[in-house]
Every structure is written in structure tokens, then in C-alpha cells.
Amino acid sequence: MRWLIRNWHLKLGALALATVLYTGLVFSGSFNDQTFPGVPITAIGQPNDTYVLTQELGTVDVHYRFAVNSPNQVKIGSFAVTIDLAQYRMSLAPQLQSLPVTVRPLIDGVTILSYAPTAVSVAIDRLGVRTVRVLVDRGEVPAGLEIGATTVSAQEVTATGPNSLLQRVDRAVARVHIDQSGIDVHNQVQLVPVDIDGRLVPSVELTPLTVNVDIDVRTVETSKTVPVRPVLSGAPAPGFEVGDVTVDPAVVTLRGAPDVLSGVTEVLTNPISLSGARAPLTATATLVMPTGTRLSDVGASGPTVVVPVSEEVGTRTFLVGLVCTGQPSGSACLPQLSQVAVTLRGTVNALAALDPATLSVGLDATGLAPGTHVVKATLSAPRGITVVGISPATVTVTIVPPASPTPAP
């Protein structure tokens, strides 16, 4: 007995070591050591009336041992990876503090060997409440519009959030859009907490979250001077034509929105009828105002339009016979041509009524001696008609003296 109990602790240790070695030898082929990466960390034990500033706690890579013959399957939900926020010292809030990570298996047959990281830095802040002013941000107002009275349903709202972020909030902004059409704003708009530079402050809640915004939008009128163009309808009587039309005043000044006036280049009148006209017309015209415009001078009368109407003037060429005059008594005047071309100018109606048979081109042979001579052709045109030209302008004539009397036998 004395021999058995002598150095008993050494003998017991050797037995335990042999047992471990035997167990490892027997079961070494029954387990797998693996690493499960990216298991998310979950926070527990958050103190009341606090806000976790560190929203992303990160993940942990878990190194574990798992029995090969286990009926369970290892997946991301097989591990509980947590940090206890109750260990955070609120007296140092909102500073970053390192909290230990705890990993435990949630299924049988899994043994946690190690994990990394073993701690993470976390910042927690106490929740606070304060009142902030409400401002309306209208953005860029389109050209041609002006903003009138702006009404908001609340001048102040309550902001709730972590104290470190809450103290950055300068105002609650209601952002609205002013439409180019100039429609008044009557919208329910969501509020956004921003700092003094207009940047969004995260993790802050506003109560109420929306306000009603009413904005009076008016169109800014400008002026533009454009010409007046008379509109004529119908045609004058046959043989009559229209001269240069005059308008008094020749321009008018319009008022309207800039985008409307930019597309206006002239103002037309109501149609002025010329049907069958034989004389000049004078009319007070009515302007056709472009949509969205008005006259700068509201009391101004319509412009006076003068339309000259006169007989149409033209030219016409006739073939006219030749007549000798002034030749010596008893002598014969013999032109080498029987006709010449005569171009006359006059009203179209007068030329159309002219009978060529009543015309004759004269060849003045006064004082011409017997023989051949070149004589200028002339024509006395009817009243109201002028001679444009005679072709040819001269005609060769032969003056033949009378025959000598035969002596009496």
C-alpha cells in the first residue's frame, strides 16, 4: 500500500496524460477544425435612452472544431457573436471604447477554438431633445418669376437624437421646387435636419416630420417692341394693283412673361378686305394680340393702315403702219418698210382697249429732194399713253418726183 501511494500525484498525472493521448489517438479522425468567416456582431444590453453611434459593429472570423458525424450543419446562425453594451462607461460618452467580443456555439457538436477580432470599438451617446427653427429652401427661382408671401404651418419643430449630433443641427429645412409655369406652391413637405452649412445631420428625428408650405408665385412681366404687319385679304379690281402699304404707328410695345415675349417677332392685324378695290383704302386696324401678352399702352387705338390701290401700269408692243407726210406736191414718198414695232406704256386697261388700227407712225418728208433719205419715225400716242420706243427708229424712204408731162405732138 505504501508503494502504491508513494508519488501518487506523479502517477495520477501520467495516467491522465495517457488517457488524453489515447483519446486523441482514437478521436483525431472524428473532428474537423474549420474557420467560419464574416459572422456579424450583435449588440446586447444597450442602456436606456442612449443611441449607438457605431452603427456598423463589423464581423468576426470564428475558428471552431466540429464532429464529422454530427447531424447538424454549421452555418452563420450557428454562432452567437455579441458585445455587451452594458459594459460601456457612459461617464465617458460619446468616446470610442473597446468592448470584448463573446462567441458561443448555438448547436451541439461545435467547439469554439478561437476568433478574431476579440474586441471592437464602440461609441454610445445619450439621447437629447431640442427645438429647432423651420426654414423653407425654394432653390433656384426660374427666370421670369418672383416669389411672394411664404407661409409654413410650423415655425419650430422638435429634434430628437444623440446629443453629439443634436448640437450640430441648425435648422429644419423644407425643400420645395418652384415650377417654371409659375403655379403657386401648396404642398406638404418633408423636413430635413441640417447644420449651419446646410449639410444633412444623420440620426436625428424631427417631430412633426412634415409641414404645409404655401408660396405665392407671380410672373414678372417685361416689355418688347415689335413691328405691326397688316394682313390683306382679297384682290383689287382687274387691272388695279396694290402699292406700298403703310402703318401708323409701325411698331407697338407689348408686355408679358419673358418666355412668352421671346417667341413674339411681330403683331398681326385683323384682315383688311381689298376685294374689287379701285381706289386707295384707309382703315383703322384691330391688332391680334399674341396669347399671354398685352399692349403696354392699354388706351392706345388701333393703327391706321393705308393701302394704295391704283391702276396697273404695263407695256405693250404693236406693229404699226407707216405714213409719209410733207413730201413735195406731186412727189411720191416710198418707205422701204411697211410696218415698225411700237412699244407703248400705260395702264393695263388702256392698253387693252387700244385699237392698233388707229395708230400710225409718221415719216416727215418735208423739204426732201428726190432721192433716198433716212427719216426718223414718230408717233403721237393717245392721251394717257406714252411711247417707250419704235423699232427701227429710222426708216429709209425714196422721194420720187412727179413724171414730166409728155410734149404735145
Side-chain angles (χ1 to χ4, degrees), residues 79-307:
F79 306 96
V81 181
T82 59
I83 58 170
D84 187 1
L85 298 182
Q87 300 181 35
Y88 187 89
R89 289 180 291 173
M90 293 303 301
S91 60
L92 300 179
Q95 297 179 9
L96 280 172
Q97 300 178 29
S98 179
L99 298 182
V101 176
T102 301
V103 180
R104 61 186 179 85
L106 298 179
I107 61 174
D108 296 334
V110 174
T111 301
I112 305 301
L113 301 178
S114 64
Y115 53 88
T118 59
V120 294
S121 296
V122 180
I124 301 178
D125 200 1
R126 289 185 175 87
L127 291 175
V129 179
R130 59 174 292 209
T131 300
V132 296
R133 56 183 177 150
V134 175
L135 290 181
V136 176
D137 181 3
R138 299 185 295 260
E140 185 176 353
V141 179
L145 300 179
E146 65 179 8
I147 303 302
T150 300
T151 304
V152 186
S153 60
Q155 300 300 317
E156 295 180 333
V157 293
T158 301
T160 305
N163 287 328
S164 58
L165 296 176
L166 195 61
Q167 65 183 357
R168 291 172 47 196
V169 179
D170 177 70
R171 58 195 180 274
V173 174
R175 292 190 171 97
V176 298
H177 172 70
I178 306 299
D179 192 82
Q180 178 68 51
S181 62
I183 299 176
D184 292 343
V185 175
H186 301 288
N187 297 333
Q188 188 177 55
V189 184
Q190 184 172 344
L191 295 173
V192 179
V194 298
D195 61 14
I196 193 170
D197 296 321
R199 295 173 296 194
L200 174 67
V201 179
S203 305
V204 175
E205 295 182 357
L206 300 176
T207 306
L209 183 58
T210 61
V211 292
N212 294 323
V213 179
D214 299 304
I215 301 177
D216 181 23
V217 182
R218 295 189 295 268
T219 301
V220 179
E221 286 190 344
T222 58
S223 62
K224 183 177 183 180
T225 300
V226 295
V228 177
R229 182 165 68 86
V231 177
L232 307 179
S233 65
F240 288 79
E241 61 182 356
V242 177
D244 295 333
V245 180
T246 60
V247 183
D248 185 24
V251 296
V252 291
T253 300
L254 305 179
R255 293 193 64 83
D259 60 328
V260 174
L261 291 181
S262 64
V264 179
T265 57
E266 62 183 3
V267 176
L268 305 180
T269 67
N270 279 332
I272 299 173
S273 177
L274 298 179
S275 298
R278 294 174 176 271
L281 295 178
T282 300
T284 300
T286 302
L287 296 177
V288 180
M289 300 300 297
T291 303
T293 66
R294 59 184 177 85
L295 286 175
S296 179
D297 184 1
V298 180
S301 59
T304 300
V305 179
V306 177
V307 185

Side-chain angles (χ1 to χ4, degrees), residues 29-77:
S30 302
F31 294 90
N32 283 332
D33 292 352
Q34 297 186 13
T35 299
F36 201 107
V39 181
I41 301 173
T42 303
I44 61 174
Q46 182 177 347
N48 294 332
D49 298 327
T50 62
Y51 182 86
V52 180
L53 297 174
T54 311
Q55 293 292 307
E56 296 294 333
L57 299 177
T59 61
V60 170
D61 296 338
V62 180
H63 185 59
Y64 65 96
R65 175 173 292 161
F66 184 63
V68 174
N69 58 356
S70 174
N72 298 321
Q73 182 181 1
V74 178
K75 50 189 177 181
I76 197 169

